[in-house]
Structures are given as C-alpha cells and as structure tokens.
Amino acid sequence: MSGNKIRFFLGSNTKRGFTSLFDELRDPKNCKRLYIIKGGPGSGKSSLMRKIAIALECKKHIIEYFHCASDPGSLDGFLDHSIGIAMMDGTAPHIMDPKYPGAYEVIINMADCWDDSVLFEQKNEIIPLSDTISDCHLMAGSYIRSAAALLDINMQLAMPYVRHDNINDFVDNLVENLRDSQSGKVKNRLLSAVSVGETVFYSETIEELSDTVYVIPDKWGAASNILLSRLHHSASLQNIEQTVCYCSIRTPDKIDHIIFPCAGITVTTANPFHSINSSKNQIVDGLADSIPKGIQEQMSINLNKSKELIGTACEHIKQAKLLHDDLEDFYIKAMDFSKVDVIYKKIINEIA
C-alpha cells in the first residue's frame, strides 16, 4: 500500500458554510500523539508536515494525507497508521485546541519563528487582504448553497422512482459478505471538494484501498443516497470498520462513498461531478424506474444550473487562493526558517 495514494479532505465549503471533520484526527485511545500546528499563512505549516510525512514514508510507513480544499497542493494534515501519530494545521477555518495538552496533543507554534515587528509594519495591507479572502469564501459558499438546493430538489423528485426492494437486496447481500470483516470504528472523510477553479476528486484513493468497486450510476442522487445510508446503518450495527465519505457540498446530509478497507470493497456514486474508471468496477443497476420525460426535463435544468453555480464557486475559491498567495508573501518575509528546521528535527527525534 503506497501512502501517497491515500488522500482525503477533512473540510470543505458546503451548503452549511465551511464544514470541518478535523476532529476525526483526535483519537487518543488509538493514536499516540497529535501534533497541532499554529501559525499564519506562509509560516511553513504545510511544508513542515510534508517534510515529516516524506521522512516517515521513506521508512515504509502507511501515511494517510489530508489536503486543503482551498489549495489541494497544500497539506492540512496527515495520519501515520504505522506508529500512531497525527499532525494537523490547527488554525482557522479548522481551529483545533488541545483537550489533553502534553499528555496527547502537542502544540507547535510557528509564530515563534517570525518577527512580529515585520508583520506589524504591514498591518494596513495584511488586514484588508485577509478580509477580502474571507469575502471570496463567503461568496463561494453562497453559490454552493444555491447549487445544493437545486440538487436536493432533484433528489426529492427522483425519490418516488427508487426501487427499494433492489436496494435492500444489494445491502443485505453485501453486509452478509462483510460479516467476517474486521470490526472497527466508523471514520468520516471527504473524497472531493469544490476547489481552486474546479471540483477535485481523489479517485485514486478508492483504487488504492479497493479490490472491488461497486459503482452506483446516479445522476439524481436519490438511489445512491438511500442505498449508502442503509448500508452505513447496517454495517454499523455489525460493527464493521468503514470509511464514510460525504458529498462535499452536502456534508453530512448525503453519503457519496463508503470504503470497507479491511475487505477491500468500496461502494461509490458516479454522477456528473465525479466518476471512477477502473477494471475493478462492478456496476450496480436496477435501482430506479424511469422518470417521466417532463420531470426529467426540469431536473436537467436544475442540474445544469447547479453545475454553473459550482463553477462560479470554484472561481471565487481560485481568486481567494491567488490573494492568499499574496498574503503568504508577507509572512514568508517575516519568517526565520532556520527555526522551522529546529522544530522539524525535534519532532523527528520524538517520533523516530
């Protein structure tokens, strides 16, 4: 298993605003230590995490990466399954503070590595730039809410045509096949996000963790919503380990994918926003009856408008990213990165 292919998001702009799943990384019963990094943009948080994760990968550790939805090239955190340590960016919009400071969580303060006086001199530029970035994300959220409303309408319109008997048969058969799988906790993740100029989908994560991929072709979302909700519930009753991946704009109201890592099985939704092409695919069909043409025409209008709205949201996030790059420049100039190197060596010595 190659760690650099296991990638998720733990937060995204959704119809509820920014929705964070970062508390998933707080697991003191099963994890030795959680490093929470505090600091401004451009202070080296992502680079520090990436450098440490690469060092651990070189030791053949299994690493699960969590990328920033607003900049997928940047890391928001990682989890090392081999030694039970996690590291995350604990600043806004996914603020994390310790519950068990020192005993489990360790705070890494990147502000110790910058010169406050340099930043203070740029106050009149930093503050309005930060506020404009926030405004871009607010605009993106408005378009996402509108898109989600149209997609929810389509899902409701398609609901009467769902074949519940076929869904129940599929769920019952799969859960029976999973009965001997390893028991374990339910993990919550995102495989996609409305991001910089596009919707990003980490299909390679499914490919990496699965030997069999059951694909639900579902343009309208009703059949997949019912099937995956029932599958999640039934598997939970059997205490089967599962990774539940929500629709990135309707978290936690709609599940799009469930991965059963110990069984090597994934059940995933293929729709106009994300699809997976793999030799491992098995298509799950017969889950819905035909929808009358008149209703489908209105649903198609809703779908096309939602795509347009999501596209506009992506452009606002792209603009936020460009402004964020400008903001980072102020902090980079104030940083003493030799101090970051000291932090890196300290952490590596602690976890080696």
Side-chain angles (χ1 to χ4, degrees), residues 147-207:
L150 290 171
L151 294 174
D152 286 344
I153 288 171
N154 279 357
M155 192 162 62
Q156 291 301 317
L157 289 171
M159 206 70 77
Y161 303 94
V162 171
R163 295 286 305 274
H164 292 267
D165 51 346
N166 289 355
I167 286 175
N168 290 337
D169 287 344
F170 177 85
V171 171
D172 291 344
N173 290 334
L174 183 54
V175 171
E176 181 63 32
N177 291 335
L178 292 168
R179 194 176 297 278
D180 295 328
S181 297
Q182 179 177 319
S183 61
K185 63 182 292 187
V186 175
K187 299 177 182 178
N188 298 303
R189 302 284 191 266
L190 298 174
L191 275 170
S192 62
V194 178
S195 189
V196 184
E198 62 178 346
T199 299
V200 176
F201 176 50
Y202 290 139
S203 61
E204 65 270 27
T205 299
I206 293 176
E207 185 79 11

Side-chain angles (χ1 to χ4, degrees), residues 315-334:
E315 290 304 311
H316 281 290
I317 294 172
K318 181 178 179 180
Q319 180 61 26
K321 167 63 169 62
L322 294 173
L323 295 173
H324 191 271
D325 290 344
D326 294 337
L327 185 62
E328 284 186 339
D329 287 341
F330 289 107
Y331 285 82
I332 290 170
K333 291 172 183 176

Side-chain angles (χ1 to χ4, degrees), residues 93-105:
H94 35 79
I95 296 172
M96 176 84 78
D97 290 316
K99 287 185 179 179
Y100 316 104
Y104 169 59
E105 297 104 341

